[in-house]
């Protein structure tokens, strides 16, 4: 019997000691830890040998004993997938693992980003460190060595249907651990064998089952989604701050964000959004709407400039962003469970003498998360793009110069300058492309691998779509930030900025420090990129 109580003790991972991801038993791997390691080249990983090694060794010994007894074990003494009916001699088990890695070396397209590949390796090590995958301590140690030397297997983006795990993408981890294919190292993509030779690291030779333990899993899709979620959460925060500045700029109503409004329809995400906007507005009580009676004698009707209520892109912004906030909180829970799970096949429960063939490699939950977030993130971009449409139109923006042209600075030359005319077009293009990619991927299951994989999740493509949509919306946010800063300038030379409350003023100053108002027409492509980098803390 296994000396460990698996119901009470799970092998999990958590960030500890600053930038060290400490692998132990009593805490879960947080999404923040994965994101920090992926984005911070100086982060380190530490296996808790005292807590983990005995369990890993015991689970591996259980598998070795089964091999000695010549028992049939899927993927160890049998073929893979549709070839599972082929029985394999135990003398060929190691060669079988090498061939598994080799024939899955058919990934296509550009490599995933280094941060996504780094997150994948960390998550895969965590999943294999649970003590139910039959791996050896030596394999985990090789993964630790790669992570701590920032030797990151380079994984092609395309080639996974997200069902029998990310088979083809994860084969690039198995190959790299053995000194093959390519890795990210010190800012370059290099041959793995050369890097290992430079660092005097011995290529790892896979033991029976270890190739399958690496490849049968959801770690690639989980890594992409986890990193995308960080940017999504940042994008939500920025959008709320920009909406507040926009409302202040056009002197919009405060009532859509009032606490009482959202007590009457108490979706949590909606309440969070409204509260974040409301705390950034000034004179809230005086801006709820018309409160005093009028003494005007109106016989039939009268046109006024006063707006009793604003357009939907302002008034309904908590209802647009609220579902995204709720969805990302749900997504965080799902992804945290996924990256802390045992998701390969078969599973070895040595305590109960069970070898269990199952389908934990199926990425259905990750696909559901990504397919849910995709249209919501795209709609966030659409909301800001609609607000930009109002901001650049002097028929709608309350008298701010058309296209945000700096008329007061330009004088007669204002007629030959164009302000943010093309910036709006770029924003519209980005949003359209994001919306085009927002449809669900999980409904496109394809029967493959000789009918063995007859239903698949498409979770990895869904995750890549989510990343693509997020990357499209980031410059939309940057353009909106630049436009708002421009509008404050052309509408009274920042006089309205002097009336902002402290929270809004701090954000306005942050934007202003990264973008100077446009006077004469100039290219702004580099400035968009700079603003994205500044807002999303990218290097």
């Amino acid at each position: 019997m296994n000396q460990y109580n698996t119901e009470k003790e799970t092998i999990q991972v958590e960030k500890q000691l600053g930038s060290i991801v400490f692998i132990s038993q009593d805490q879960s791997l947080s999404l923040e830890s994965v994101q920090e390691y992926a984005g911070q080249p100086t982060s380190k990983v530490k296996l808790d040998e005292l807590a983990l090694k005995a369990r890993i060794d015991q689970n591996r010994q259980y598998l070795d004993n089964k091999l000695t007894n010549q028992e049939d074990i899927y993927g160890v003494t049998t073929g893979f997938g549709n070839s599972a009916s082929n029985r394999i001699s135990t003398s060929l088990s190691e060669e079988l693992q090498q061939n598994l890695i080799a024939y899955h070396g058919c990934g296509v397209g550009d490599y995933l980003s280094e941060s996504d590949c780094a997150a994948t390796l960390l998550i895969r090590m965590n999943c294999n460190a649970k003590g139910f995958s039959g791996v050896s301590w030596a394999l985990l140690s090789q993964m630790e060595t790669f992570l701590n030397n920032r030797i990151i297997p380079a994984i092609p983006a395309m080639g996974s249907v997200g069902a029998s795990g990310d088979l083809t993408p994860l084969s690039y981890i198995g190959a790299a651990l053995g000194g093959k294919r390519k890795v990210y190292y010190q800012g370059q993509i290099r041959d793995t064998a050369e890097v290992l030779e430079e660092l005097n690291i011995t290529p790892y030779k896979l033991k029976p089952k270890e190739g399958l333990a690496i490849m049968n899993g959801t770690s690639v899709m989980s890594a992409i989604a986890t990193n995308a979620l960080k940017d999504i959460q940042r994008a939500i925060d920025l959008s709320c701050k920009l909406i507040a500045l926009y409302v202040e700029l056009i002197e919009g109503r405060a009532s859509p964000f009032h606490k009482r409004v959202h007590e009457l329809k108490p979706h949590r995400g909606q309440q969070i959004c409204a509260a974040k906007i409301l705390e950034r507005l000034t004179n809230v009580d005086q801006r709820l709407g018309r409160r005093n009676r009028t003494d005007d004698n109106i016989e039939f009707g009268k046109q006024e400039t006063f707006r009793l209520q604003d357009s939907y892109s302002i008034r309904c912004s908590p209802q647009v962003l609220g579902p995204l906030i709720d969805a990302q909180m749900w997504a965080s829970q799902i992804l945290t469970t996924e990256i802390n799970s045992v998701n390969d096949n078969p599973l070895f429960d040595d305590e109960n003498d069970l070898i269990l063939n199952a389908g934990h490699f199926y990425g259905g939950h990750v696909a559901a998360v990504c397919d849910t977030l995709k249209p919501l993130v795209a709609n966030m971009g659409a909301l800001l793009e609609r607000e930009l449409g109002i901001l650049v139109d002097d028929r709608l923006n309350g008298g701010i110069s058309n296209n945000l042209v700096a008329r007061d600075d330009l004088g007669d030359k204002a007629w030959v300058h164009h302000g943010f005319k093309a910036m709006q077009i770029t924003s519209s293009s980005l949003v359209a492309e994001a919306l085009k990619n927002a449809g669900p991927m999980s409904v496109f299951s394809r029967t493959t691998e000789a009918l063995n994989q007859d239903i698949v999740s498409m979770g990895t493509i869904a995750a890549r779509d989510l990343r693509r949509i997020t990357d499209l919306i980031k410059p939309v946010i940057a353009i909106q930030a630049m436009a708002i800063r421009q509008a404050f300038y052309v509408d009274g030379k920042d006089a309205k900025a002097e009336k902002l409350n402290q929270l809004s003023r701090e954000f306005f100053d942050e934007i202003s420090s990264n973008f100077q108002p446009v006077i004469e027409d100039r290219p702004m492509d580099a400035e968009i990129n700079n603003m994205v980098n500044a807002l999303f803390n990218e290097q």
Side-chain angles (χ1 to χ4, degrees), residues 236-259:
I236 293 169
D237 180 66
L238 291 168
S239 295
C240 291
K241 293 176 180 178
L242 287 171
I243 292 167
L245 281 179
Y246 178 62
V247 172
E248 295 289 67
L249 178 67
I250 67 170
E251 299 178 352
R253 303 303 99 202
S255 57
F257 316 106
H258 196 276
K259 180 180 179 181

PDB file of all heavy atoms in Angstrom, residues 236-259:
ATOM      1  N   ILE A 236      -9.256  44.341 -19.235  1.00  0.00           N
ATOM      2  CA  ILE A 236     -10.499  44.728 -18.558  1.00  0.00           C
ATOM      3  C   ILE A 236     -10.258  45.942 -17.665  1.00  0.00           C
ATOM      4  O   ILE A 236     -11.020  46.911 -17.677  1.00  0.00           O
ATOM      5  CB  ILE A 236     -11.046  43.552 -17.729  1.00  0.00           C
ATOM      6  CG1 ILE A 236     -11.509  42.410 -18.642  1.00  0.00           C
ATOM      7  CG2 ILE A 236     -12.199  44.017 -16.831  1.00  0.00           C
ATOM      8  CD1 ILE A 236     -11.802  41.121 -17.903  1.00  0.00           C
ATOM      9  N   ASP A 237      -9.201  45.896 -16.890  1.00  0.00           N
ATOM     10  CA  ASP A 237      -8.873  47.001 -15.988  1.00  0.00           C
ATOM     11  C   ASP A 237      -8.647  48.289 -16.770  1.00  0.00           C
ATOM     12  O   ASP A 237      -9.182  49.363 -16.415  1.00  0.00           O
ATOM     13  CB  ASP A 237      -7.628  46.636 -15.185  1.00  0.00           C
ATOM     14  CG  ASP A 237      -7.219  47.735 -14.208  1.00  0.00           C
ATOM     15  OD1 ASP A 237      -7.979  47.993 -13.261  1.00  0.00           O
ATOM     16  OD2 ASP A 237      -6.139  48.326 -14.406  1.00  0.00           O
ATOM     17  N   LEU A 238      -7.890  48.199 -17.852  1.00  0.00           N
ATOM     18  CA  LEU A 238      -7.623  49.380 -18.671  1.00  0.00           C
ATOM     19  C   LEU A 238      -8.902  49.924 -19.305  1.00  0.00           C
ATOM     20  O   LEU A 238      -9.107  51.141 -19.370  1.00  0.00           O
ATOM     21  CB  LEU A 238      -6.609  49.041 -19.763  1.00  0.00           C
ATOM     22  CG  LEU A 238      -5.175  48.765 -19.298  1.00  0.00           C
ATOM     23  CD1 LEU A 238      -4.358  48.169 -20.437  1.00  0.00           C
ATOM     24  CD2 LEU A 238      -4.512  50.043 -18.783  1.00  0.00           C
ATOM     25  N   SER A 239      -9.752  49.025 -19.772  1.00  0.00           N
ATOM     26  CA  SER A 239     -10.997  49.456 -20.419  1.00  0.00           C
ATOM     27  C   SER A 239     -11.880  50.227 -19.444  1.00  0.00           C
ATOM     28  O   SER A 239     -12.464  51.259 -19.798  1.00  0.00           O
ATOM     29  CB  SER A 239     -11.744  48.246 -20.981  1.00  0.00           C
ATOM     30  OG  SER A 239     -11.007  47.627 -22.019  1.00  0.00           O
ATOM     31  N   CYS A 240     -12.006  49.741 -18.219  1.00  0.00           N
ATOM     32  CA  CYS A 240     -12.807  50.445 -17.215  1.00  0.00           C
ATOM     33  C   CYS A 240     -12.232  51.836 -16.944  1.00  0.00           C
ATOM     34  O   CYS A 240     -12.978  52.828 -16.839  1.00  0.00           O
ATOM     35  CB  CYS A 240     -12.871  49.640 -15.923  1.00  0.00           C
ATOM     36  SG  CYS A 240     -13.820  48.108 -16.034  1.00  0.00           S
ATOM     37  N   LYS A 241     -10.914  51.938 -16.846  1.00  0.00           N
ATOM     38  CA  LYS A 241     -10.281  53.230 -16.596  1.00  0.00           C
ATOM     39  C   LYS A 241     -10.487  54.186 -17.771  1.00  0.00           C
ATOM     40  O   LYS A 241     -10.717  55.387 -17.582  1.00  0.00           O
ATOM     41  CB  LYS A 241      -8.785  53.031 -16.336  1.00  0.00           C
ATOM     42  CG  LYS A 241      -8.472  52.295 -15.047  1.00  0.00           C
ATOM     43  CD  LYS A 241      -6.982  52.047 -14.906  1.00  0.00           C
ATOM     44  CE  LYS A 241      -6.650  51.323 -13.619  1.00  0.00           C
ATOM     45  NZ  LYS A 241      -5.195  51.023 -13.501  1.00  0.00           N
ATOM     46  N   LEU A 242     -10.403  53.648 -18.996  1.00  0.00           N
ATOM     47  CA  LEU A 242     -10.599  54.484 -20.176  1.00  0.00           C
ATOM     48  C   LEU A 242     -12.043  54.952 -20.294  1.00  0.00           C
ATOM     49  O   LEU A 242     -12.307  56.092 -20.698  1.00  0.00           O
ATOM     50  CB  LEU A 242     -10.185  53.710 -21.433  1.00  0.00           C
ATOM     51  CG  LEU A 242      -8.683  53.512 -21.627  1.00  0.00           C
ATOM     52  CD1 LEU A 242      -8.414  52.557 -22.774  1.00  0.00           C
ATOM     53  CD2 LEU A 242      -7.978  54.843 -21.871  1.00  0.00           C
ATOM     54  N   ILE A 243     -12.980  54.085 -19.963  1.00  0.00           N
ATOM     55  CA  ILE A 243     -14.385  54.482 -19.998  1.00  0.00           C
ATOM     56  C   ILE A 243     -14.639  55.623 -19.016  1.00  0.00           C
ATOM     57  O   ILE A 243     -15.360  56.584 -19.322  1.00  0.00           O
ATOM     58  CB  ILE A 243     -15.297  53.276 -19.705  1.00  0.00           C
ATOM     59  CG1 ILE A 243     -15.225  52.273 -20.867  1.00  0.00           C
ATOM     60  CG2 ILE A 243     -16.739  53.717 -19.476  1.00  0.00           C
ATOM     61  CD1 ILE A 243     -15.823  50.924 -20.554  1.00  0.00           C
ATOM     62  N   ALA A 244     -14.037  55.536 -17.842  1.00  0.00           N
ATOM     63  CA  ALA A 244     -14.194  56.614 -16.858  1.00  0.00           C
ATOM     64  C   ALA A 244     -13.653  57.935 -17.406  1.00  0.00           C
ATOM     65  O   ALA A 244     -14.296  58.991 -17.276  1.00  0.00           O
ATOM     66  CB  ALA A 244     -13.504  56.241 -15.557  1.00  0.00           C
ATOM     67  N   LEU A 245     -12.473  57.903 -18.022  1.00  0.00           N
ATOM     68  CA  LEU A 245     -11.927  59.123 -18.614  1.00  0.00           C
ATOM     69  C   LEU A 245     -12.825  59.649 -19.729  1.00  0.00           C
ATOM     70  O   LEU A 245     -13.025  60.868 -19.876  1.00  0.00           O
ATOM     71  CB  LEU A 245     -10.526  58.855 -19.163  1.00  0.00           C
ATOM     72  CG  LEU A 245      -9.361  58.810 -18.172  1.00  0.00           C
ATOM     73  CD1 LEU A 245      -8.063  58.515 -18.901  1.00  0.00           C
ATOM     74  CD2 LEU A 245      -9.242  60.112 -17.393  1.00  0.00           C
ATOM     75  N   TYR A 246     -13.366  58.742 -20.510  1.00  0.00           N
ATOM     76  CA  TYR A 246     -14.252  59.116 -21.609  1.00  0.00           C
ATOM     77  C   TYR A 246     -15.519  59.805 -21.080  1.00  0.00           C
ATOM     78  O   TYR A 246     -15.952  60.828 -21.610  1.00  0.00           O
ATOM     79  CB  TYR A 246     -14.582  57.856 -22.391  1.00  0.00           C
ATOM     80  CG  TYR A 246     -15.528  58.021 -23.554  1.00  0.00           C
ATOM     81  CD1 TYR A 246     -15.206  58.820 -24.633  1.00  0.00           C
ATOM     82  CD2 TYR A 246     -16.734  57.329 -23.589  1.00  0.00           C
ATOM     83  CE1 TYR A 246     -16.067  58.950 -25.715  1.00  0.00           C
ATOM     84  CE2 TYR A 246     -17.608  57.440 -24.653  1.00  0.00           C
ATOM     85  CZ  TYR A 246     -17.261  58.256 -25.722  1.00  0.00           C
ATOM     86  OH  TYR A 246     -18.109  58.374 -26.781  1.00  0.00           O
ATOM     87  N   VAL A 247     -16.088  59.237 -20.024  1.00  0.00           N
ATOM     88  CA  VAL A 247     -17.282  59.839 -19.420  1.00  0.00           C
ATOM     89  C   VAL A 247     -16.965  61.234 -18.881  1.00  0.00           C
ATOM     90  O   VAL A 247     -17.750  62.179 -19.050  1.00  0.00           O
ATOM     91  CB  VAL A 247     -17.844  58.929 -18.307  1.00  0.00           C
ATOM     92  CG1 VAL A 247     -18.962  59.621 -17.548  1.00  0.00           C
ATOM     93  CG2 VAL A 247     -18.336  57.611 -18.892  1.00  0.00           C
ATOM     94  N   GLU A 248     -15.822  61.384 -18.255  1.00  0.00           N
ATOM     95  CA  GLU A 248     -15.430  62.697 -17.741  1.00  0.00           C
ATOM     96  C   GLU A 248     -15.226  63.687 -18.883  1.00  0.00           C
ATOM     97  O   GLU A 248     -15.633  64.850 -18.793  1.00  0.00           O
ATOM     98  CB  GLU A 248     -14.138  62.582 -16.928  1.00  0.00           C
ATOM     99  CG  GLU A 248     -14.270  61.755 -15.654  1.00  0.00           C
ATOM    100  CD  GLU A 248     -15.092  62.472 -14.591  1.00  0.00           C
ATOM    101  OE1 GLU A 248     -16.314  62.667 -14.802  1.00  0.00           O
ATOM    102  OE2 GLU A 248     -14.532  62.837 -13.555  1.00  0.00           O
ATOM    103  N   LEU A 249     -14.612  63.236 -19.946  1.00  0.00           N
ATOM    104  CA  LEU A 249     -14.314  64.116 -21.075  1.00  0.00           C
ATOM    105  C   LEU A 249     -15.577  64.685 -21.715  1.00  0.00           C
ATOM    106  O   LEU A 249     -15.662  65.890 -21.998  1.00  0.00           O
ATOM    107  CB  LEU A 249     -13.508  63.338 -22.123  1.00  0.00           C
ATOM    108  CG  LEU A 249     -13.142  64.074 -23.401  1.00  0.00           C
ATOM    109  CD1 LEU A 249     -12.146  65.196 -23.118  1.00  0.00           C
ATOM    110  CD2 LEU A 249     -12.570  63.106 -24.425  1.00  0.00           C
ATOM    111  N   ILE A 250     -16.573  63.826 -21.925  1.00  0.00           N
ATOM    112  CA  ILE A 250     -17.800  64.287 -22.590  1.00  0.00           C
ATOM    113  C   ILE A 250     -18.881  64.706 -21.595  1.00  0.00           C
ATOM    114  O   ILE A 250     -20.007  64.976 -21.979  1.00  0.00           O
ATOM    115  CB  ILE A 250     -18.358  63.203 -23.533  1.00  0.00           C
ATOM    116  CG1 ILE A 250     -18.851  61.988 -22.745  1.00  0.00           C
ATOM    117  CG2 ILE A 250     -17.330  62.789 -24.571  1.00  0.00           C
ATOM    118  CD1 ILE A 250     -19.635  60.997 -23.595  1.00  0.00           C
ATOM    119  N   GLU A 251     -18.490  64.741 -20.304  1.00  0.00           N
ATOM    120  CA  GLU A 251     -19.400  65.146 -19.234  1.00  0.00           C
ATOM    121  C   GLU A 251     -20.671  64.305 -19.251  1.00  0.00           C
ATOM    122  O   GLU A 251     -21.805  64.796 -19.221  1.00  0.00           O
ATOM    123  CB  GLU A 251     -19.729  66.642 -19.359  1.00  0.00           C
ATOM    124  CG  GLU A 251     -18.489  67.514 -19.247  1.00  0.00           C
ATOM    125  CD  GLU A 251     -18.792  68.995 -19.421  1.00  0.00           C
ATOM    126  OE1 GLU A 251     -19.945  69.326 -19.772  1.00  0.00           O
ATOM    127  OE2 GLU A 251     -17.884  69.809 -19.202  1.00  0.00           O
ATOM    128  N   GLY A 252     -20.440  62.983 -19.293  1.00  0.00           N
ATOM    129  CA  GLY A 252     -21.542  62.039 -19.356  1.00  0.00           C
ATOM    130  C   GLY A 252     -22.227  61.834 -18.016  1.00  0.00           C
ATOM    131  O   GLY A 252     -21.765  62.305 -16.968  1.00  0.00           O
ATOM    132  N   ARG A 253     -23.342  61.121 -18.057  1.00  0.00           N
ATOM    133  CA  ARG A 253     -24.110  60.845 -16.840  1.00  0.00           C
ATOM    134  C   ARG A 253     -23.387  59.798 -15.978  1.00  0.00           C
ATOM    135  O   ARG A 253     -22.721  58.898 -16.481  1.00  0.00           O
ATOM    136  CB  ARG A 253     -25.494  60.323 -17.181  1.00  0.00           C
ATOM    137  CG  ARG A 253     -26.381  61.190 -18.068  1.00  0.00           C
ATOM    138  CD  ARG A 253     -26.601  62.571 -17.487  1.00  0.00           C
ATOM    139  NE  ARG A 253     -25.712  63.541 -18.113  1.00  0.00           N
ATOM    140  CZ  ARG A 253     -25.356  64.689 -17.582  1.00  0.00           C
ATOM    141  NH1 ARG A 253     -25.792  65.028 -16.389  1.00  0.00           N
ATOM    142  NH2 ARG A 253     -24.560  65.508 -18.225  1.00  0.00           N
ATOM    143  N   ALA A 254     -23.588  59.899 -14.671  1.00  0.00           N
ATOM    144  CA  ALA A 254     -23.005  58.938 -13.733  1.00  0.00           C
ATOM    145  C   ALA A 254     -23.973  57.828 -13.349  1.00  0.00           C
ATOM    146  O   ALA A 254     -23.569  56.807 -12.786  1.00  0.00           O
ATOM    147  CB  ALA A 254     -22.529  59.666 -12.474  1.00  0.00           C
ATOM    148  N   SER A 255     -25.248  58.022 -13.647  1.00  0.00           N
ATOM    149  CA  SER A 255     -26.253  57.066 -13.173  1.00  0.00           C
ATOM    150  C   SER A 255     -26.056  55.637 -13.679  1.00  0.00           C
ATOM    151  O   SER A 255     -26.391  54.693 -12.955  1.00  0.00           O
ATOM    152  CB  SER A 255     -27.664  57.561 -13.532  1.00  0.00           C
ATOM    153  OG  SER A 255     -27.799  57.764 -14.916  1.00  0.00           O
ATOM    154  N   PRO A 256     -25.510  55.398 -14.899  1.00  0.00           N
ATOM    155  CA  PRO A 256     -25.340  54.005 -15.329  1.00  0.00           C
ATOM    156  C   PRO A 256     -24.398  53.198 -14.445  1.00  0.00           C
ATOM    157  O   PRO A 256     -24.406  51.966 -14.496  1.00  0.00           O
ATOM    158  CB  PRO A 256     -24.766  54.146 -16.747  1.00  0.00           C
ATOM    159  CG  PRO A 256     -25.192  55.480 -17.207  1.00  0.00           C
ATOM    160  CD  PRO A 256     -25.161  56.343 -15.981  1.00  0.00           C
ATOM    161  N   PHE A 257     -23.618  53.893 -13.610  1.00  0.00           N
ATOM    162  CA  PHE A 257     -22.614  53.221 -12.794  1.00  0.00           C
ATOM    163  C   PHE A 257     -22.956  53.260 -11.301  1.00  0.00           C
ATOM    164  O   PHE A 257     -22.191  52.755 -10.475  1.00  0.00           O
ATOM    165  CB  PHE A 257     -21.249  53.876 -13.039  1.00  0.00           C
ATOM    166  CG  PHE A 257     -20.993  54.145 -14.500  1.00  0.00           C
ATOM    167  CD1 PHE A 257     -21.060  55.435 -15.010  1.00  0.00           C
ATOM    168  CD2 PHE A 257     -20.736  53.098 -15.373  1.00  0.00           C
ATOM    169  CE1 PHE A 257     -20.855  55.687 -16.359  1.00  0.00           C
ATOM    170  CE2 PHE A 257     -20.529  53.334 -16.730  1.00  0.00           C
ATOM    171  CZ  PHE A 257     -20.590  54.625 -17.222  1.00  0.00           C
ATOM    172  N   HIS A 258     -24.107  53.830 -10.980  1.00  0.00           N
ATOM    173  CA  HIS A 258     -24.492  54.003  -9.578  1.00  0.00           C
ATOM    174  C   HIS A 258     -24.684  52.644  -8.904  1.00  0.00           C
ATOM    175  O   HIS A 258     -25.236  51.710  -9.495  1.00  0.00           O
ATOM    176  CB  HIS A 258     -25.775  54.828  -9.492  1.00  0.00           C
ATOM    177  CG  HIS A 258     -26.050  55.371  -8.125  1.00  0.00           C
ATOM    178  ND1 HIS A 258     -26.686  54.630  -7.148  1.00  0.00           N
ATOM    179  CD2 HIS A 258     -25.774  56.591  -7.583  1.00  0.00           C
ATOM    180  CE1 HIS A 258     -26.785  55.362  -6.058  1.00  0.00           C
ATOM    181  NE2 HIS A 258     -26.240  56.556  -6.285  1.00  0.00           N
ATOM    182  N   LYS A 259     -24.261  52.565  -7.663  1.00  0.00           N
ATOM    183  CA  LYS A 259     -24.339  51.311  -6.922  1.00  0.00           C
ATOM    184  C   LYS A 259     -25.759  50.765  -6.873  1.00  0.00           C
ATOM    185  O   LYS A 259     -25.982  49.553  -6.999  1.00  0.00           O
ATOM    186  CB  LYS A 259     -23.796  51.520  -5.504  1.00  0.00           C
ATOM    187  CG  LYS A 259     -23.834  50.257  -4.649  1.00  0.00           C
ATOM    188  CD  LYS A 259     -23.279  50.538  -3.255  1.00  0.00           C
ATOM    189  CE  LYS A 259     -23.326  49.288  -2.387  1.00  0.00           C
ATOM    190  NZ  LYS A 259     -22.820  49.552  -1.010  1.00  0.00           N
TER     191      LYS A 259
END
